[in-house]
Amino acid sequence: MTSKKFKPSPKASLPFKTGNKQRRQDLYVKQKRARDGLKRDDHFRRKREENKDPKLREDRIKHNIPLTLDRKRVWDEVDRDTGDGLGVSVDAERLKRQRLEEEAEAEIADDEEAAADGSADERDSMIDSGSEEEEDKTLEKPRNPHRTRTATERATSPTQSTTSTNLDITPEALAARFPTLFTTHPPPTPKILITTSINSNLHHEAQLLTNLFPHSVYIPRSAHRYGHKFSVREISSFAKNRNYTAVMVLKEDQKKRTGLTFVHLPHGPTFHFSISNWVEGKKLPGHGNPTNHTPELILNNFRTPLGLLTAHLFRTMFPPQPEIQGRQVVTLHNQRDYIFLRRHRYVFREKRATERSVVGPDGQEVKGVEGIRAGLQELGPRFTMKLRRIDKGIQRSSGQEWEWQGGMEKQRTKFQL
């Protein structure tokens, strides 16, 4: 227990200063020991109180939520006209919901006006009821619906990091700019041409990508000193004439994977991603061997217009009808503008007595699957991508004209995807 003679200050400063270095070290050690003792006493005191009243422990756990960057995420304040831009950080689903509410309110107002014009008595009654409602509103405390919530209020709300991407949301501006990506009907069966940068050594990694993306083929680029070194634009023209839907270019620097470029055919756009944390499937502990079945696709947490555009790109890279018997799933999870790619094989089994039930994003148990658990086995490869730039069309030299370019946002709590 802590000595009663020595009580450290609340700011954890030394009781007094001394010019002797050895003496200062001894004072620091004693105060740290006393501070740890006070913390330990407070911990055991709180434990005794919570054992007597378990409700105290539940309240403490409920409010003890860390303020992470995801919790502190901020959005841009935009109107209906500028809410579909690629450089705007706005929740597309919330913006669409706001538009639907405004349209519903406008329809209700039109109906009320039509009813008011129909008869004078109804008009008088509506005027009286309106005045009463206005009096009630004046008595209520005014609220600002556009007020920005504090970090603590955002932290106590349910997390949205596991929200699945709603691909039914199609901003009108994006659909007009990229009609081949935002289509009403399901995308065609993909046919992907995979290649590498000139004089590349990443042949093995390119072969792994052909196993990850269905209906893809790897064609190495010529490295001969007298051979013609085809550009990405020439390769895209070659692929377009042979009914390919996309071209994928794996880039390297000093024999290491650095980037991945997606060219959407026939007319673009071109997406540039950087790659990090590449791990092959055989290097994963307890990994499985993938099969040739078409996997299912899960897209998580793509919420902004730029995120929806990226999600629709990945949707075109996989067939719309997966082969369920293969029990394989590819997950693209966006978190803080980093896209984590994982491939698993799943199996459903009965829940053991020592395991918990499946819970949803709100922390509540999912009804109907109380006795079922899902087992996962990672197949690989796994890697992390980050969107760097979107070019207009298919350019002769990369970066001449771009739709969006990263690195322009310096605020850590504002994300683009």
Side-chain angles (χ1 to χ4, degrees), residues 113-126:
E113 291 179 0
D117 295 337
S119 61
D121 296 337
E122 292 181 359
R123 182 171 60 251
D124 296 337
S125 62
M126 289 179 65

Side-chain angles (χ1 to χ4, degrees), residues 1-9 15-16 30-31 34 38:
M1 301 297 293
T2 308
S3 176
K4 297 182 180 179
K5 298 180 180 180
F6 182 75
K7 292 292 184 181
S9 62
F16 57 88
K30 290 180 181 179
Q31 185 169 6
L38 290 177

Side-chain angles (χ1 to χ4, degrees), residues 226-325:
Y226 298 114
H228 179 71
K229 295 178 175 57
F230 292 93
S231 64
V232 176
R233 188 173 184 178
E234 293 173 336
I235 295 174
S236 301
S237 177
F238 167 87
K240 180 176 63 175
N241 296 333
R242 286 156 180 79
N243 297 326
Y244 283 91
T245 60
V247 173
M248 190 184 308
V249 182
L250 182 62
K251 298 182 179 181
E252 71 163 330
D253 183 23
Q254 297 182 355
K255 299 183 180 181
K256 294 183 180 179
R257 303 149 300 272
T258 59
L260 198 61
T261 300
F262 294 89
V263 181
H264 181 68
L265 299 179
H267 306 295
T270 304
F271 294 76
H272 299 272
F273 295 88
S274 61
I275 288 183
S276 60
N277 302 329
W278 178 288
V279 181
E280 297 182 16
K282 63 180 182 181
K283 294 184 179 180
L284 296 172
H287 70 90
N289 296 323
T291 59
N292 294 328
H293 295 89
T294 301
E296 304 173 49
L297 181 63
I298 297 178
L299 299 169
N300 280 344
N301 209 26
F302 294 91
R303 306 175 64 182
T304 64
L306 180 63
L308 291 176
L309 179 64
T310 308
H312 278 269
L313 169 71
F314 290 119
R315 186 188 68 158
T316 60
M317 306 297 289
F318 292 88
Q321 295 295 334
E323 298 177 354
I324 306 298
Q325 62 272 21

Side-chain angles (χ1 to χ4, degrees), residues 11-57:
K11 297 184 179 180
S13 61
L14 294 177
F16 57 88
K17 296 181 180 180
T18 178
N20 191 315
K21 181 179 178 181
Q22 190 67 30
R23 181 61 177 167
R24 287 199 306 269
Q25 292 177 353
D26 295 340
L27 289 174
Y28 175 76
V29 171
K30 290 180 181 179
Q31 185 169 6
K32 185 176 185 302
R33 189 179 302 165
R35 187 167 58 246
D36 294 342
L38 290 177
K39 187 182 298 184
R40 185 170 56 254
D41 294 343
D42 184 67
H43 170 71
F44 283 109
R45 177 188 56 79
R46 184 174 65 249
K47 186 177 181 181
R48 289 192 297 268
E49 294 177 356
E50 290 177 351
N51 289 336
K52 295 179 181 179
D53 189 2
K55 187 178 180 180
L56 296 177
R57 182 181 290 107

Side-chain angles (χ1 to χ4, degrees), residues 356-393:
R356 299 176 58 185
S357 300
V358 180
V359 297
D362 54 352
Q364 303 296 330
E365 295 185 0
V366 181
K367 297 182 179 180
V369 292
E370 291 81 0
I372 300 176
R373 294 286 292 183
L376 294 177
Q377 183 184 33
E378 191 167 358
L379 307 178
R382 65 158 67 167
F383 53 89
T384 305
M385 296 183 292
K386 186 175 179 64
L387 183 62
R388 299 298 180 179
R389 190 176 67 252
I390 300 178
D391 291 340
K392 290 184 178 180

